[in-house]
Amino acid sequence: MSKVASLVTENNMKEILIIGPGSLTGSRFVELGKDKFEMYGAGGGMDENLTGLVSFQSLDITNQKNVEAAVSSFPGTYVMNFAGATLVDEIEKTRPADSTDKKQLDENIAYKVNVLGTKFLADACKKYDKFPIFISTGFVFDGKDGPYSEEDQVASLPDDVSWYAWTKILAENEVKKSGVENLTIRISYPYRSEYIGKLDFARNFLKVYDEYKSGIRDSIYPMFADQFLTPTFIDDIPRSVGLLLGKGEAGVFHLSSPEIVTPYDFCLELLRVARNVDNPEELIKKGSIVEFQQSHPEIAKRPVQGGEKSDKIKMLGFTPTSWKEGIRKAFEKKG
Ligand SMILES: NC(=O)c1ccc[n+]([C@@H]2O[C@H](COP(=O)([O-])OP(=O)(O)OC[C@H]3O[C@@H](n4cnc5c(N)ncnc54)[C@H](OP(=O)(O)O)[C@@H]3O)[C@@H](O)[C@H]2O)c1
């Protein structure tokens, strides 16, 4: 059992400082975590409809003093960070010409939020004896021979992955350098049934389909049949964090569908379940990510033969939701 985590037993209400509670993943954590955790929020804007937080304070994670003040004044033990720069294709446009040049990095928003923000948080948690929980991504792997376990090496060159992914690799390195005991949970293509703030992998495709059905668009673009991924059902995050904290675990954990799938097959199933389409194969053409990436080098790279193996968390008693079951849970029409 980890040193800090052992301070709190499984049955105690755990106080968590949630950074970025309005995010796609964080807001669901707050919704589902109400009975399990006592949550205090900090971050940028807040969704007024989000209930479940004891309090909310504004916090800029790129401001070291701000981060130190928020962490040092928090009376609880756990600090969970959902804040991040996440718009992968937008971030790609900001890739610095020289990825080692300090001036260019200091001006790069994704670097500031993802790398420096994580560093400031990890350092503050180390200094004030807190236990941080970070969210990382399966994009840290180059996607040449996935699916990957926690033991596998992340990409070693910035050009092998998207700029977003590189900032997440650097962020993971900062956590290691800080020496703080922590949990780092890597997720992939997270999806949930609804969220106003932004679309995810699944709801984006449903939007495309709905626009096609209502005549707003002429066709549905092809879906990649040669990319392999393991989507994360967002509802698994609070459940798995509860289990890991209860067991006093620390370290890196993958949290993704135990079964691998292509975007093509995922979207076929999505149409069957969420829109009652009997023969979705007649609507969606197969596309190739390999060809797409060759013809669109400006678009952020995604792992092709990607996916995460989540055996480590399975061994501890939590089996992540499979992609098929997740689609059913999130999108099956009730009644
Ligand atoms: N979404 C994905 O596909 C995906 C996949 C794998 C891993 N992840 C990881 O999961 C985590 C959460 O991602 P998400 O998609 O749920 O996030 P999101 O919906 O894009 O929200 C990002 C959050 O970060 C906050 N934020 C941005 N800059 C900030 C700053 N300087 N100070 C404080 N807060 C700031 C935003 O607040 P404002 O809105 O107020 O600016 C927002 O609440 C990230 O670590 C991400 O890398 C995401």
Side-chain angles (χ1 to χ4, degrees):
M1 181 175 286
S2 63
K3 180 174 60 85
V4 182
S6 65
L7 296 172
V8 182
T9 66
E10 191 162 8
N11 295 327
N12 283 350
M13 177 67 91
K14 299 174 181 71
E15 293 181 325
I16 307 193
L17 176 62
I18 304 280
I19 301 179
S23 58
L24 169 74
T25 49
S27 59
R28 189 63 176 152
F29 189 96
V30 173
E31 276 171 33
L32 293 177
K34 278 180 204 147
D35 301 332
K36 210 175 235 144
F37 306 109
E38 193 170 298
M39 291 171 287
Y40 300 76
M46 248 298 288
D47 174 359
E48 284 165 12
N49 300 317
L50 186 66
T51 56
L53 293 175
V54 177
S55 64
F56 178 79
Q57 59 177 305
S58 94
L59 166 70
D60 177 1
I61 198 173
T62 68
N63 179 320
Q64 188 166 17
K65 283 201 177 117
N66 248 214
V67 174
E68 280 231 356
V71 170
S72 62
S73 62
F74 175 58
T77 301
Y78 299 106
V79 180
M80 185 154 187
N81 184 29
F82 292 96
T86 61
L87 298 175
V88 179
D89 291 317
E90 289 305 309
I91 291 171
E92 193 60 26
K93 294 177 193 157
T94 75
R95 182 187 282 266
D98 179 350
S99 61
T100 59
D101 182 83
K102 188 168 174 333
K103 186 167 176 292
Q104 290 180 42
L105 291 176
D106 285 345
E107 287 167 357
N108 187 271
I109 291 288
Y111 182 86
K112 281 163 64 174
V113 176
N114 292 345
V115 186
L116 294 182
T118 302
K119 173 185 163 43
F120 296 155
L121 200 54
D123 288 347
C125 286
K126 176 77 180 166
K127 186 166 168 187
Y128 297 104
D129 244 356
K130 309 292 180 189
F131 186 93
I133 304 156
F134 297 101
I135 307 283
S136 192
T137 168
F139 279 18
V140 294
F141 299 108
D142 64 14
K144 290 182 181 144
D145 55 359
Y148 298 94
S149 79
E150 293 85 351
E151 309 301 315
D152 287 316
Q153 285 305 305
V154 304
S156 55
L157 295 171
D159 287 348
D160 286 348
V161 291
S162 64
W163 180 245
Y164 161 76
W166 188 248
T167 64
K168 297 296 284 188
I169 291 172
L170 297 179
E172 287 192 8
N173 289 344
E174 290 297 343
V175 174
K176 277 188 219 137
K177 271 194 254 168
S178 75
V180 72
E181 198 166 43
N182 72 94
L183 274 176
T184 294
I185 299 179
R186 293 195 187 125
I187 61 173
S188 283
Y189 293 91
Y191 62 96
R192 57 185 282 190
S193 57
E194 51 192 35
Y195 174 67
I196 293 177
K198 73 174 185 190
L199 292 169
D200 55 39
F201 168 58
R203 286 178 299 114
N204 185 52
F205 182 75
L206 290 177
K207 178 169 177 272
V208 169
Y209 171 78
D210 292 342
E211 287 175 356
Y212 170 70
K213 283 303 280 181
S214 61
I216 296 175
R217 57 167 70 228
D218 298 338
S219 60
I220 299 176
Y221 46 69
M223 296 305 296
F224 300 140
D226 58 354
Q227 184 189 18
F228 295 90
L229 38 97
T230 50
T232 300
F233 184 41
I234 290 177
D235 295 17
D236 283 350
I237 301 175
R239 293 171 60 211
S240 59
V241 167
L243 174 117
L244 293 170
L245 294 186
K247 287 185 179 289
E249 290 292 328
V252 178
F253 285 87
H254 290 178
L255 182 70
S256 294
S257 166
E259 285 92 44
I260 204 155
V261 66
T262 65
Y264 177 76
D265 284 327
F266 186 92
C267 291
L268 290 183
E269 186 68 5
L270 197 53
L271 288 193
R272 285 186 201 106
V273 174
R275 295 294 184 266
N276 292 318
V277 178
D278 288 333
N279 296 307
E281 303 82 356
E282 291 170 6
L283 286 174
I284 317 178
K285 292 196 185 71
K286 288 184 179 178
S288 163
I289 188 172
V290 175
E291 287 170 18
F292 181 79
Q293 292 197 152
Q294 276 164 2
S295 57
H296 294 82
E298 75 287 359
I299 305 278
K301 274 188 186 145
R302 268 83 171 166
V304 176
Q305 196 78 40
E308 300 163 62
K309 291 180 191 157
S310 300
D311 298 336
K312 193 174 162 192
I313 196 163
K314 255 169 102 175
M315 301 279 284
L316 289 170
F318 183 81
T319 301
T321 305
S322 75
W323 64 269
K324 251 190 195 175
E325 180 67 359
I327 289 177
R328 200 186 60 68
K329 284 186 177 165
F331 299 108
E332 198 168 58
K333 295 265 182 300
K334 310 276 177 335

